[in-house]
Amino acid sequence: MYDEKNLNHEMVQFMDQYGSLLHDNIDLNDSQLLEIYNWMLKTRLFDEKMVRMQRQGRIGTYAPFSGQEASQVGSTYAMEKDDWIFSSYREIAATMVHGLPMQQSILYAKGHMYGGQSPDKLNIFPIQIIIAGQTLHAAGCALASKLKGENDVSVSYFGDGATSEGDFHEALNIASVFKVPSVFFCQNNHWAISVPLHQQTASQTIAQKAIAYGVKGVRVDGNDVLAVYHVMKEALESARNGEGPTLIEAVTYRQGPHTTADDPTKYRNNDEVNEWAKKDPIDRFRTFLNKRGLMDEDKQEKMKGIVNEEIEKAVAEAESTDRVTVDKAFDYVYDKPHKLLLEQQEESRQFLTIKEGR
């Protein structure tokens, strides 16, 4: 019988809060470290830009991810190009690192029909809105990969709130039973909209939920990008070696609201927010790079300038993209349309013709 109070899932850390290394065994060179920092900075500035654009009425409701860059960038940086990502609406940084053009994310936020389409040969499943639904998709894709003898791993990203959904438990169960090549990556940002973690689950950690399904569970400091990278690397190798799935709990914090339609001051206090601000993942990693002589104020400003230009260019391209007609929506339901769908498309055309007096 398990004793809930004695379950041991120590938090994996490579850097402390002040950017000092706790381990010497990092296997990333200087160029890779700077590339990771560039991604973290780029996605932070992108996130801030999107929030401003939403306030200006230029995009729809938006789910900010500032504070979670280390979890997303560190984990995706460890993946291979052929690995699959199954994400929710808050994993924009992860999808960008895996190859999704910035412009595509902006189109999605604008509600453009093409915003939800992944470019060809990019293994990113469309964004999932239903909480935890993507965990089942990842388990299914991983099973298919195993049956086909492929070498890719399916990674599902979700928040702590998703672990209170049935889909999460069903996905872990089926993935474990069939030992499929998958990683379940939970960003525990402590709040499921306005519900705190302790009101969602009585478990001491999310990582320990892995025990019930016979899979490996790991708890990592989600604001420590080096720790996240190494934990993810091990989980991916384990999956590729036929050892089955891993559940990773990245302990992090959502600095902003759940979405731009939300006011977090109604349900959480400033002390908590300020405490987590001291653990900002980008500040911590920049301090680490400073100590290694890889970053200084001039380099930082130069990098910010380049990134801001890239963001503005992507925004301009997205905002100049032509709107599509309702008629086009029927072209993306199935690979090949069936008779009923074609009939509906024709009815739609006739309706719009009458409505527009053509």
mmCIF file of all heavy atoms in Angstrom, residues 75-86 94-95 97-99 118 121-125 138 141-142 145 150-157 181-183 232-233 235-241:
data_model
loop_
_atom_site.group_PDB
_atom_site.id
_atom_site.type_symbol
_atom_site.label_atom_id
_atom_site.label_comp_id
_atom_site.label_asym_id
_atom_site.label_seq_id
_atom_site.Cartn_x
_atom_site.Cartn_y
_atom_site.Cartn_z
ATOM 1 N N SER A 75 11.956 22.109 -23.415
ATOM 2 C CA SER A 75 11.459 20.773 -23.773
ATOM 3 C C SER A 75 11.465 20.561 -25.280
ATOM 4 O O SER A 75 11.881 19.504 -25.767
ATOM 5 C CB SER A 75 10.052 20.567 -23.212
ATOM 6 O OG SER A 75 9.159 21.561 -23.684
ATOM 7 N N THR A 76 11.023 21.576 -26.028
ATOM 8 C CA THR A 76 10.949 21.398 -27.483
ATOM 9 C C THR A 76 12.331 21.402 -28.118
ATOM 10 O O THR A 76 12.551 20.740 -29.138
ATOM 11 C CB THR A 76 10.082 22.506 -28.111
ATOM 12 O OG1 THR A 76 8.915 22.685 -27.318
ATOM 13 C CG2 THR A 76 9.668 22.135 -29.517
ATOM 14 N N TYR A 77 13.250 22.142 -27.520
ATOM 15 C CA TYR A 77 14.612 22.186 -28.056
ATOM 16 C C TYR A 77 15.254 20.785 -28.017
ATOM 17 O O TYR A 77 16.140 20.484 -28.813
ATOM 18 C CB TYR A 77 15.460 23.172 -27.265
ATOM 19 C CG TYR A 77 16.735 23.586 -27.951
ATOM 20 C CD1 TYR A 77 16.731 24.564 -28.942
ATOM 21 C CD2 TYR A 77 17.947 22.998 -27.623
ATOM 22 C CE1 TYR A 77 17.898 24.944 -29.584
ATOM 23 C CE2 TYR A 77 19.119 23.371 -28.261
ATOM 24 C CZ TYR A 77 19.095 24.348 -29.235
ATOM 25 O OH TYR A 77 20.257 24.720 -29.869
ATOM 26 N N ALA A 78 14.783 19.952 -27.116
ATOM 27 C CA ALA A 78 15.346 18.596 -26.997
ATOM 28 C C ALA A 78 14.775 17.629 -28.027
ATOM 29 O O ALA A 78 15.289 16.527 -28.201
ATOM 30 C CB ALA A 78 15.076 18.060 -25.584
ATOM 31 N N MET A 79 13.704 18.025 -28.713
ATOM 32 C CA MET A 79 13.015 17.119 -29.630
ATOM 33 C C MET A 79 13.699 17.047 -30.990
ATOM 34 O O MET A 79 14.416 17.963 -31.391
ATOM 35 C CB MET A 79 11.549 17.572 -29.803
ATOM 36 C CG MET A 79 10.736 17.446 -28.531
ATOM 37 S SD MET A 79 9.121 18.274 -28.618
ATOM 38 C CE MET A 79 8.332 17.368 -29.923
ATOM 39 N N GLU A 80 13.430 15.948 -31.706
ATOM 40 C CA GLU A 80 13.871 15.802 -33.087
ATOM 41 C C GLU A 80 12.799 16.374 -34.010
ATOM 42 O O GLU A 80 11.626 16.479 -33.636
ATOM 43 C CB GLU A 80 14.106 14.318 -33.419
ATOM 44 C CG GLU A 80 15.141 13.625 -32.553
ATOM 45 C CD GLU A 80 16.551 14.109 -32.834
ATOM 46 O OE1 GLU A 80 16.774 14.644 -33.938
ATOM 47 O OE2 GLU A 80 17.413 13.974 -31.942
ATOM 48 N N LYS A 81 13.199 16.701 -35.242
ATOM 49 C CA LYS A 81 12.268 17.323 -36.181
ATOM 50 C C LYS A 81 11.043 16.434 -36.449
ATOM 51 O O LYS A 81 9.935 16.925 -36.647
ATOM 52 C CB LYS A 81 12.994 17.621 -37.499
ATOM 53 C CG LYS A 81 12.152 18.359 -38.521
ATOM 54 C CD LYS A 81 12.941 18.683 -39.777
ATOM 55 C CE LYS A 81 12.087 19.462 -40.780
ATOM 56 N NZ LYS A 81 10.919 18.735 -41.226
ATOM 57 N N ASP A 82 11.234 15.108 -36.479
ATOM 58 C CA ASP A 82 10.130 14.213 -36.812
ATOM 59 C C ASP A 82 9.204 13.928 -35.634
ATOM 60 O O ASP A 82 8.176 13.270 -35.795
ATOM 61 C CB ASP A 82 10.670 12.882 -37.356
ATOM 62 C CG ASP A 82 11.281 13.054 -38.742
ATOM 63 O OD1 ASP A 82 10.918 14.028 -39.433
ATOM 64 O OD2 ASP A 82 12.106 12.215 -39.132
ATOM 65 N N ASP A 83 9.562 14.364 -34.449
ATOM 66 C CA ASP A 83 8.687 14.159 -33.296
ATOM 67 C C ASP A 83 7.430 15.016 -33.446
ATOM 68 O O ASP A 83 7.443 16.062 -34.095
ATOM 69 C CB ASP A 83 9.418 14.535 -32.000
ATOM 70 C CG ASP A 83 10.558 13.583 -31.690
ATOM 71 O OD1 ASP A 83 10.505 12.417 -32.144
ATOM 72 O OD2 ASP A 83 11.507 14.001 -31.006
ATOM 73 N N TRP A 84 6.368 14.536 -32.821
ATOM 74 C CA TRP A 84 5.071 15.206 -32.943
ATOM 75 C C TRP A 84 4.756 16.051 -31.703
ATOM 76 O O TRP A 84 5.078 15.658 -30.584
ATOM 77 C CB TRP A 84 3.959 14.175 -33.112
ATOM 78 C CG TRP A 84 3.854 13.594 -34.486
ATOM 79 C CD1 TRP A 84 4.517 12.500 -34.976
ATOM 80 C CD2 TRP A 84 3.028 14.064 -35.546
ATOM 81 N NE1 TRP A 84 4.159 12.278 -36.274
ATOM 82 C CE2 TRP A 84 3.237 13.212 -36.654
ATOM 83 C CE3 TRP A 84 2.129 15.127 -35.673
ATOM 84 C CZ2 TRP A 84 2.575 13.392 -37.866
ATOM 85 C CZ3 TRP A 84 1.468 15.301 -36.879
ATOM 86 C CH2 TRP A 84 1.703 14.435 -37.963
ATOM 87 N N ILE A 85 4.094 17.191 -31.940
ATOM 88 C CA ILE A 85 3.604 18.027 -30.840
ATOM 89 C C ILE A 85 2.080 18.085 -30.898
ATOM 90 O O ILE A 85 1.496 18.343 -31.951
ATOM 91 C CB ILE A 85 4.173 19.457 -30.925
ATOM 92 C CG1 ILE A 85 5.634 19.494 -30.484
ATOM 93 C CG2 ILE A 85 3.368 20.417 -30.069
ATOM 94 C CD1 ILE A 85 6.235 20.889 -30.464
ATOM 95 N N PHE A 86 1.472 17.851 -29.755
ATOM 96 C CA PHE A 86 0.022 17.993 -29.585
ATOM 97 C C PHE A 86 -0.176 19.005 -28.450
ATOM 98 O O PHE A 86 0.102 18.711 -27.287
ATOM 99 C CB PHE A 86 -0.618 16.644 -29.234
ATOM 100 C CG PHE A 86 -0.444 15.623 -30.324
ATOM 101 C CD1 PHE A 86 0.752 14.939 -30.470
ATOM 102 C CD2 PHE A 86 -1.478 15.369 -31.214
ATOM 103 C CE1 PHE A 86 0.925 14.007 -31.487
ATOM 104 C CE2 PHE A 86 -1.318 14.440 -32.236
ATOM 105 C CZ PHE A 86 -0.111 13.754 -32.380
ATOM 106 N N ALA A 94 6.432 26.611 -27.691
ATOM 107 C CA ALA A 94 6.855 25.251 -28.065
ATOM 108 C C ALA A 94 6.682 25.019 -29.564
ATOM 109 O O ALA A 94 7.566 24.462 -30.224
ATOM 110 C CB ALA A 94 6.059 24.223 -27.270
ATOM 111 N N THR A 95 5.558 25.441 -30.114
ATOM 112 C CA THR A 95 5.313 25.199 -31.538
ATOM 113 C C THR A 95 6.266 26.019 -32.407
ATOM 114 O O THR A 95 6.698 25.554 -33.458
ATOM 115 C CB THR A 95 3.853 25.522 -31.900
ATOM 116 O OG1 THR A 95 3.534 26.863 -31.520
ATOM 117 C CG2 THR A 95 2.906 24.568 -31.219
ATOM 118 N N VAL A 97 9.383 26.894 -31.634
ATOM 119 C CA VAL A 97 10.694 26.238 -31.599
ATOM 120 C C VAL A 97 10.698 25.007 -32.506
ATOM 121 O O VAL A 97 11.708 24.682 -33.138
ATOM 122 C CB VAL A 97 11.071 25.843 -30.157
ATOM 123 C CG1 VAL A 97 12.375 25.060 -30.118
ATOM 124 C CG2 VAL A 97 11.187 27.085 -29.277
ATOM 125 N N HIS A 98 9.547 24.356 -32.624
ATOM 126 C CA HIS A 98 9.460 23.146 -33.457
ATOM 127 C C HIS A 98 9.269 23.488 -34.932
ATOM 128 O O HIS A 98 9.194 22.578 -35.757
ATOM 129 C CB HIS A 98 8.306 22.275 -32.964
ATOM 130 C CG HIS A 98 8.475 20.807 -33.296
ATOM 131 N ND1 HIS A 98 9.637 20.107 -33.065
ATOM 132 C CD2 HIS A 98 7.621 19.903 -33.851
ATOM 133 C CE1 HIS A 98 9.490 18.844 -33.454
ATOM 134 N NE2 HIS A 98 8.271 18.711 -33.951
ATOM 135 N N GLY A 99 9.141 24.770 -35.250
ATOM 136 C CA GLY A 99 9.126 25.161 -36.661
ATOM 137 C C GLY A 99 7.914 25.922 -37.148
ATOM 138 O O GLY A 99 7.868 26.318 -38.313
ATOM 139 N N SER A 118 -1.326 23.515 -39.978
ATOM 140 C CA SER A 118 0.127 23.405 -39.893
ATOM 141 C C SER A 118 0.694 23.256 -41.298
ATOM 142 O O SER A 118 0.123 22.538 -42.118
ATOM 143 C CB SER A 118 0.542 22.192 -39.057
ATOM 144 O OG SER A 118 0.212 22.395 -37.715
ATOM 145 N N LYS A 121 4.644 18.855 -43.841
ATOM 146 C CA LYS A 121 5.868 18.255 -43.301
ATOM 147 C C LYS A 121 6.297 18.858 -41.966
ATOM 148 O O LYS A 121 7.467 18.826 -41.596
ATOM 149 C CB LYS A 121 7.019 18.351 -44.325
ATOM 150 C CG LYS A 121 6.729 17.624 -45.627
ATOM 151 C CD LYS A 121 7.883 17.724 -46.597
ATOM 152 C CE LYS A 121 7.543 16.991 -47.900
ATOM 153 N NZ LYS A 121 8.626 17.098 -48.888
ATOM 154 N N LEU A 122 5.339 19.466 -41.276
ATOM 155 C CA LEU A 122 5.619 19.978 -39.932
ATOM 156 C C LEU A 122 4.751 19.183 -38.960
ATOM 157 O O LEU A 122 3.526 19.237 -39.033
ATOM 158 C CB LEU A 122 5.284 21.470 -39.854
ATOM 159 C CG LEU A 122 5.715 22.196 -38.578
ATOM 160 C CD1 LEU A 122 7.221 22.119 -38.390
ATOM 161 C CD2 LEU A 122 5.270 23.654 -38.625
ATOM 162 N N ASN A 123 5.378 18.440 -38.081
ATOM 163 C CA ASN A 123 4.629 17.518 -37.222
ATOM 164 C C ASN A 123 4.060 18.214 -35.985
ATOM 165 O O ASN A 123 4.472 17.963 -34.847
ATOM 166 C CB ASN A 123 5.522 16.342 -36.817
ATOM 167 C CG ASN A 123 5.769 15.405 -37.974
ATOM 168 O OD1 ASN A 123 5.193 15.560 -39.055
ATOM 169 N ND2 ASN A 123 6.623 14.413 -37.780
ATOM 170 N N ILE A 124 3.137 19.104 -36.237
ATOM 171 C CA ILE A 124 2.416 19.802 -35.171
ATOM 172 C C ILE A 124 0.933 19.661 -35.436
ATOM 173 O O ILE A 124 0.433 20.106 -36.467
ATOM 174 C CB ILE A 124 2.791 21.305 -35.124
ATOM 175 C CG1 ILE A 124 4.288 21.475 -34.858
ATOM 176 C CG2 ILE A 124 1.982 22.016 -34.048
ATOM 177 C CD1 ILE A 124 4.744 22.929 -34.886
ATOM 178 N N PHE A 125 0.242 19.003 -34.536
ATOM 179 C CA PHE A 125 -1.195 18.818 -34.678
ATOM 180 C C PHE A 125 -1.900 20.155 -34.415
ATOM 181 O O PHE A 125 -1.382 20.986 -33.667
ATOM 182 C CB PHE A 125 -1.667 17.780 -33.658
ATOM 183 C CG PHE A 125 -2.762 16.885 -34.163
ATOM 184 C CD1 PHE A 125 -2.539 16.044 -35.239
ATOM 185 C CD2 PHE A 125 -4.017 16.881 -33.563
ATOM 186 C CE1 PHE A 125 -3.545 15.210 -35.699
ATOM 187 C CE2 PHE A 125 -5.022 16.057 -34.020
ATOM 188 C CZ PHE A 125 -4.786 15.217 -35.090
ATOM 189 N N ALA A 138 -2.250 12.326 -28.859
ATOM 190 C CA ALA A 138 -0.829 11.965 -28.800
ATOM 191 C C ALA A 138 -0.659 10.465 -28.556
ATOM 192 O O ALA A 138 0.200 9.821 -29.181
ATOM 193 C CB ALA A 138 -0.142 12.762 -27.696
ATOM 194 N N CYS A 141 -1.454 8.723 -31.835
ATOM 195 C CA CYS A 141 -0.397 8.916 -32.833
ATOM 196 C C CYS A 141 0.826 8.075 -32.479
ATOM 197 O O CYS A 141 1.455 7.468 -33.356
ATOM 198 C CB CYS A 141 -0.022 10.390 -32.900
ATOM 199 S SG CYS A 141 1.213 10.781 -34.162
ATOM 200 N N ALA A 142 1.139 8.017 -31.192
ATOM 201 C CA ALA A 142 2.301 7.224 -30.764
ATOM 202 C C ALA A 142 2.084 5.742 -31.035
ATOM 203 O O ALA A 142 3.017 5.021 -31.435
ATOM 204 C CB ALA A 142 2.560 7.460 -29.275
ATOM 205 N N SER A 145 2.629 5.220 -34.700
ATOM 206 C CA SER A 145 4.061 5.248 -35.014
ATOM 207 C C SER A 145 4.720 3.920 -34.653
ATOM 208 O O SER A 145 5.561 3.399 -35.397
ATOM 209 C CB SER A 145 4.756 6.383 -34.261
ATOM 210 O OG SER A 145 4.291 7.636 -34.698
ATOM 211 N N GLU A 150 8.018 3.443 -36.949
ATOM 212 C CA GLU A 150 8.679 4.740 -37.072
ATOM 213 C C GLU A 150 9.424 5.083 -35.777
ATOM 214 O O GLU A 150 9.184 4.499 -34.721
ATOM 215 C CB GLU A 150 7.644 5.815 -37.425
ATOM 216 C CG GLU A 150 6.991 5.579 -38.781
ATOM 217 C CD GLU A 150 5.834 6.526 -39.060
ATOM 218 O OE1 GLU A 150 5.311 7.125 -38.096
ATOM 219 O OE2 GLU A 150 5.439 6.637 -40.225
ATOM 220 N N ASN A 151 10.282 6.086 -35.877
ATOM 221 C CA ASN A 151 11.171 6.386 -34.747
ATOM 222 C C ASN A 151 10.788 7.667 -34.002
ATOM 223 O O ASN A 151 11.509 8.115 -33.129
ATOM 224 C CB ASN A 151 12.616 6.518 -35.271
ATOM 225 C CG ASN A 151 13.617 6.466 -34.148
ATOM 226 O OD1 ASN A 151 13.477 5.663 -33.213
ATOM 227 N ND2 ASN A 151 14.610 7.335 -34.204
ATOM 228 N N ASP A 152 9.648 8.268 -34.357
ATOM 229 C CA ASP A 152 9.283 9.540 -33.735
ATOM 230 C C ASP A 152 8.564 9.324 -32.405
ATOM 231 O O ASP A 152 8.066 8.242 -32.098
ATOM 232 C CB ASP A 152 8.398 10.361 -34.680
ATOM 233 C CG ASP A 152 7.200 9.575 -35.162
ATOM 234 O OD1 ASP A 152 6.248 9.421 -34.383
ATOM 235 O OD2 ASP A 152 7.234 9.084 -36.307
ATOM 236 N N VAL A 153 8.536 10.411 -31.626
ATOM 237 C CA VAL A 153 7.866 10.407 -30.320
ATOM 238 C C VAL A 153 6.749 11.441 -30.350
ATOM 239 O O VAL A 153 6.927 12.531 -30.898
ATOM 240 C CB VAL A 153 8.859 10.741 -29.186
ATOM 241 C CG1 VAL A 153 8.139 10.761 -27.827
ATOM 242 C CG2 VAL A 153 10.004 9.746 -29.159
ATOM 243 N N SER A 154 5.613 11.101 -29.765
ATOM 244 C CA SER A 154 4.487 12.039 -29.693
ATOM 245 C C SER A 154 4.469 12.696 -28.312
ATOM 246 O O SER A 154 4.426 12.009 -27.289
ATOM 247 C CB SER A 154 3.165 11.309 -29.930
ATOM 248 O OG SER A 154 3.103 10.823 -31.257
ATOM 249 N N VAL A 155 4.497 14.026 -28.317
ATOM 250 C CA VAL A 155 4.549 14.788 -27.065
ATOM 251 C C VAL A 155 3.275 15.605 -26.915
ATOM 252 O O VAL A 155 2.935 16.401 -27.800
ATOM 253 C CB VAL A 155 5.758 15.735 -27.050
ATOM 254 C CG1 VAL A 155 5.795 16.547 -25.754
ATOM 255 C CG2 VAL A 155 7.057 14.953 -27.213
ATOM 256 N N SER A 156 2.577 15.407 -25.819
ATOM 257 C CA SER A 156 1.387 16.227 -25.556
ATOM 258 C C SER A 156 1.712 17.222 -24.451
ATOM 259 O O SER A 156 2.301 16.879 -23.425
ATOM 260 C CB SER A 156 0.186 15.361 -25.165
ATOM 261 O OG SER A 156 0.476 14.549 -24.057
ATOM 262 N N TYR A 157 1.345 18.479 -24.695
ATOM 263 C CA TYR A 157 1.515 19.557 -23.719
ATOM 264 C C TYR A 157 0.156 19.905 -23.130
ATOM 265 O O TYR A 157 -0.824 20.018 -23.858
ATOM 266 C CB TYR A 157 2.091 20.804 -24.396
ATOM 267 C CG TYR A 157 3.559 20.720 -24.722
ATOM 268 C CD1 TYR A 157 3.983 20.212 -25.944
ATOM 269 C CD2 TYR A 157 4.516 21.161 -23.819
ATOM 270 C CE1 TYR A 157 5.336 20.148 -26.251
ATOM 271 C CE2 TYR A 157 5.863 21.100 -24.115
ATOM 272 C CZ TYR A 157 6.272 20.594 -25.327
ATOM 273 O OH TYR A 157 7.622 20.529 -25.624
ATOM 274 N N PRO A 181 5.606 5.214 -27.794
ATOM 275 C CA PRO A 181 6.648 6.254 -27.668
ATOM 276 C C PRO A 181 6.024 7.640 -27.480
ATOM 277 O O PRO A 181 5.750 8.350 -28.443
ATOM 278 C CB PRO A 181 7.399 6.165 -29.004
ATOM 279 C CG PRO A 181 6.370 5.648 -29.973
ATOM 280 C CD PRO A 181 5.474 4.736 -29.189
ATOM 281 N N SER A 182 5.785 8.011 -26.240
ATOM 282 C CA SER A 182 5.119 9.293 -25.974
ATOM 283 C C SER A 182 5.665 9.926 -24.697
ATOM 284 O O SER A 182 6.206 9.251 -23.821
ATOM 285 C CB SER A 182 3.603 9.098 -25.851
ATOM 286 O OG SER A 182 3.314 8.196 -24.797
ATOM 287 N N VAL A 183 5.507 11.243 -24.630
ATOM 288 C CA VAL A 183 5.850 12.003 -23.425
ATOM 289 C C VAL A 183 4.656 12.887 -23.093
ATOM 290 O O VAL A 183 4.138 13.590 -23.967
ATOM 291 C CB VAL A 183 7.096 12.889 -23.633
ATOM 292 C CG1 VAL A 183 7.365 13.724 -22.380
ATOM 293 C CG2 VAL A 183 8.311 12.034 -23.974
ATOM 294 N N MET A 232 13.699 16.294 -20.475
ATOM 295 C CA MET A 232 12.971 15.955 -21.704
ATOM 296 C C MET A 232 13.812 15.057 -22.600
ATOM 297 O O MET A 232 13.310 14.114 -23.211
ATOM 298 C CB MET A 232 12.602 17.242 -22.443
ATOM 299 C CG MET A 232 11.707 17.029 -23.646
ATOM 300 S SD MET A 232 10.075 16.379 -23.152
ATOM 301 C CE MET A 232 9.180 16.614 -24.687
ATOM 302 N N LYS A 233 15.091 15.363 -22.687
ATOM 303 C CA LYS A 233 15.991 14.549 -23.515
ATOM 304 C C LYS A 233 15.956 13.088 -23.054
ATOM 305 O O LYS A 233 15.877 12.171 -23.883
ATOM 306 C CB LYS A 233 17.420 15.104 -23.380
ATOM 307 C CG LYS A 233 18.382 14.645 -24.440
ATOM 308 C CD LYS A 233 18.254 15.464 -25.695
ATOM 309 C CE LYS A 233 19.312 15.090 -26.715
ATOM 310 N NZ LYS A 233 19.069 15.752 -28.008
ATOM 311 N N ALA A 235 13.563 11.584 -21.393
ATOM 312 C CA ALA A 235 12.229 11.008 -21.636
ATOM 313 C C ALA A 235 12.070 10.613 -23.100
ATOM 314 O O ALA A 235 11.494 9.554 -23.423
ATOM 315 C CB ALA A 235 11.154 12.014 -21.231
ATOM 316 N N LEU A 236 12.578 11.446 -23.999
ATOM 317 C CA LEU A 236 12.486 11.143 -25.435
ATOM 318 C C LEU A 236 13.321 9.910 -25.786
ATOM 319 O O LEU A 236 12.877 9.043 -26.553
ATOM 320 C CB LEU A 236 12.958 12.356 -26.251
ATOM 321 C CG LEU A 236 12.055 13.589 -26.195
ATOM 322 C CD1 LEU A 236 12.795 14.815 -26.745
ATOM 323 C CD2 LEU A 236 10.764 13.366 -26.983
ATOM 324 N N GLU A 237 14.511 9.823 -25.235
ATOM 325 C CA GLU A 237 15.370 8.663 -25.507
ATOM 326 C C GLU A 237 14.730 7.388 -24.967
ATOM 327 O O GLU A 237 14.774 6.339 -25.608
ATOM 328 C CB GLU A 237 16.747 8.884 -24.871
ATOM 329 C CG GLU A 237 17.584 9.942 -25.603
ATOM 330 C CD GLU A 237 18.899 10.236 -24.900
ATOM 331 O OE1 GLU A 237 19.200 9.561 -23.892
ATOM 332 O OE2 GLU A 237 19.607 11.151 -25.364
ATOM 333 N N SER A 238 14.138 7.499 -23.804
ATOM 334 C CA SER A 238 13.460 6.344 -23.218
ATOM 335 C C SER A 238 12.317 5.875 -24.113
ATOM 336 O O SER A 238 12.141 4.677 -24.345
ATOM 337 C CB SER A 238 12.934 6.728 -21.826
ATOM 338 O OG SER A 238 12.174 5.681 -21.267
ATOM 339 N N ALA A 239 11.538 6.832 -24.611
ATOM 340 C CA ALA A 239 10.422 6.482 -25.495
ATOM 341 C C ALA A 239 10.933 5.838 -26.778
ATOM 342 O O ALA A 239 10.377 4.841 -27.256
ATOM 343 C CB ALA A 239 9.617 7.740 -25.813
ATOM 344 N N ARG A 240 12.006 6.409 -27.328
ATOM 345 C CA ARG A 240 12.557 5.879 -28.587
ATOM 346 C C ARG A 240 13.152 4.483 -28.392
ATOM 347 O O ARG A 240 13.205 3.673 -29.319
ATOM 348 C CB ARG A 240 13.637 6.825 -29.133
ATOM 349 C CG ARG A 240 13.142 7.691 -30.270
ATOM 350 C CD ARG A 240 14.250 8.528 -30.854
ATOM 351 N NE ARG A 240 14.281 9.856 -30.287
ATOM 352 C CZ ARG A 240 13.472 10.841 -30.651
ATOM 353 N NH1 ARG A 240 12.566 10.632 -31.572
ATOM 354 N NH2 ARG A 240 13.547 12.034 -30.095
ATOM 355 N N ASN A 241 13.600 4.197 -27.181
ATOM 356 C CA ASN A 241 14.192 2.887 -26.904
ATOM 357 C C ASN A 241 13.157 1.827 -26.560
ATOM 358 O O ASN A 241 13.509 0.726 -26.129
ATOM 359 C CB ASN A 241 15.194 3.017 -25.746
ATOM 360 C CG ASN A 241 16.421 3.806 -26.141
ATOM 361 O OD1 ASN A 241 16.771 3.874 -27.325
ATOM 362 N ND2 ASN A 241 17.085 4.407 -25.167
#
